Amino acid sequence: MQMLILIQILVIVYYISINVYSFLLLRSQKKAEEEGDCNKVRDGSLFITALLGGALGIYVAMFVLKFRTRSLFLMVFMPVIVVCNLYFLIIGYVHDFWVFNGTFYKAVLSLPI
């Protein structure tokens, strides 16, 4: 039981920290473009950060900073990745994050797509 609580706390801390990082990453990209240095932060790093769980931070930053909202790539794929991130987070909580005995993987693979 204590291990489960520790895993849940670690997942929450990770999810919050990756979203804060992605928000700051988009902010640094905006500052770099304002200064004229367009190659400081690439879109690939934004996409990788979104896949690792920071899509919500990127999507919120786009509207808070009013930056890249005309980018069709980010406006279409970020909400899709947000839904996927939340889906895996919810599936993890439902199945108690027991990735070590395989129930999490079985639950993800057995769901109809």
Side-chain angles (χ1 to χ4, degrees):
M1 182 68 175
Q2 292 173 353
M3 185 68 167
L4 177 63
I5 293 170
L6 178 66
I7 291 173
Q8 290 176 347
I9 290 171
L10 288 175
V11 167
I12 290 170
V13 168
Y14 171 77
Y15 193 72
I16 290 171
S17 62
I18 194 74
N19 279 295
V20 169
Y21 173 75
S22 64
F23 187 93
L24 296 175
L25 189 66
L26 194 73
R27 188 180 76 170
S28 69
Q29 187 181 31
K30 180 181 179 180
K31 284 185 179 180
E33 282 194 15
E34 287 175 353
E35 293 172 358
D37 185 21
C38 296
N39 294 327
K40 187 174 180 183
V41 177
R42 299 192 184 269
D43 289 341
S45 60
L46 289 175
F47 189 68
I48 299 266
T49 307
L51 288 177
L52 291 175
L56 186 62
I58 292 173
Y59 197 64
V60 168
M62 286 171 46
F63 291 105
V64 169
L65 301 174
K66 295 182 176 109
F67 180 65
R68 303 289 299 260
T69 55
R70 293 186 179 155
S71 172
L72 183 65
F73 176 72
L74 292 177
M75 289 299 291
V76 171
F77 285 116
M78 283 305 132
V80 171
I81 297 173
V82 167
V83 169
C84 291
N85 287 338
L86 291 176
Y87 171 75
F88 285 117
L89 192 66
I90 290 169
I91 291 296
Y93 270 98
V94 168
H95 294 284
D96 295 331
F97 293 104
W98 290 120
V99 296
F100 303 114
N101 63 8
T103 58
F104 179 74
Y105 296 120
K106 290 176 189 173
V108 170
L109 295 176
S110 67
L111 291 172
I113 295 176

